[in-house]
């Protein structure tokens, strides 16, 4: 499988380490009143869909960057590859814009 790294171009998947579901980037807030349940779900409940899925990959044998790879789990077709930092910044911006103004 070839992963088209956003900065380095096409790379063999053997250069990467698969971490899992990209939702791991959305770590619960530890001071929340429901933190215990949220962390339980975060640590132990995983989605395992057939079809399009967002995954975290680490470029271990390269530039050591984290990537969010959108992949079809039934065909292994890679649909999109993004730097995890860009996804995190976009998520932060989206969450900030949704917060009520005081």
């Amino acid at each position: 499988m070839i992963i088209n790294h956003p900065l380095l171009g096409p790379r063999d998947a053997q250069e990467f380490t698969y971490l899992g579901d990209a939702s791991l980037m959305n770590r619960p807030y530890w001071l929340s009143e429901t933190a215990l349940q949220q962390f339980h779900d975060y640590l132990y409940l995983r989605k395992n869909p057939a079809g399009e899925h967002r995954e975290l990959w680490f470029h271990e044998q390269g530039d050591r960057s984290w990537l969010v790879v959108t992949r079809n789990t039934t065909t292994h077709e890679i649909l999109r590859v993004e730097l995890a930092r860009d996804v995190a910044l976009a998520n932060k911006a989206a969450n900030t814009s949704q917060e009520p103004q005081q």
Side-chain angles (χ1 to χ4, degrees), residues 15-95:
E15 293 183 18
F16 296 85
T17 300
Y18 170 79
L19 177 63
D21 189 349
S23 67
L24 290 173
M25 294 175 53
N26 304 323
R27 187 180 173 105
Y29 181 57
W30 67 282
L31 290 178
S32 167
E33 290 181 19
T34 59
L36 185 60
Q37 182 62 44
Q38 289 176 359
F39 271 99
H40 173 273
D41 295 351
Y42 173 81
L43 292 171
Y44 298 110
L45 301 181
R46 297 279 190 264
K47 294 179 181 174
N48 190 16
E52 189 172 312
H53 187 239
R54 294 179 78 194
E55 305 168 334
L56 278 174
W57 289 74
F58 179 61
H59 196 192
E60 184 174 23
Q61 296 178 16
D63 68 344
R64 306 189 65 76
S65 60
W66 285 94
L67 303 177
V68 174
V69 176
T70 304
R71 183 175 68 90
N72 185 318
T73 59
T74 56
T75 65
H76 298 293
E77 176 187 9
I78 294 178
L79 307 169
R80 184 172 47 255
V81 181
E82 307 163 274
L83 292 172
R85 71 167 185 236
D86 294 344
V87 172
L89 290 173
N91 288 345
K92 184 176 179 181
N95 290 338

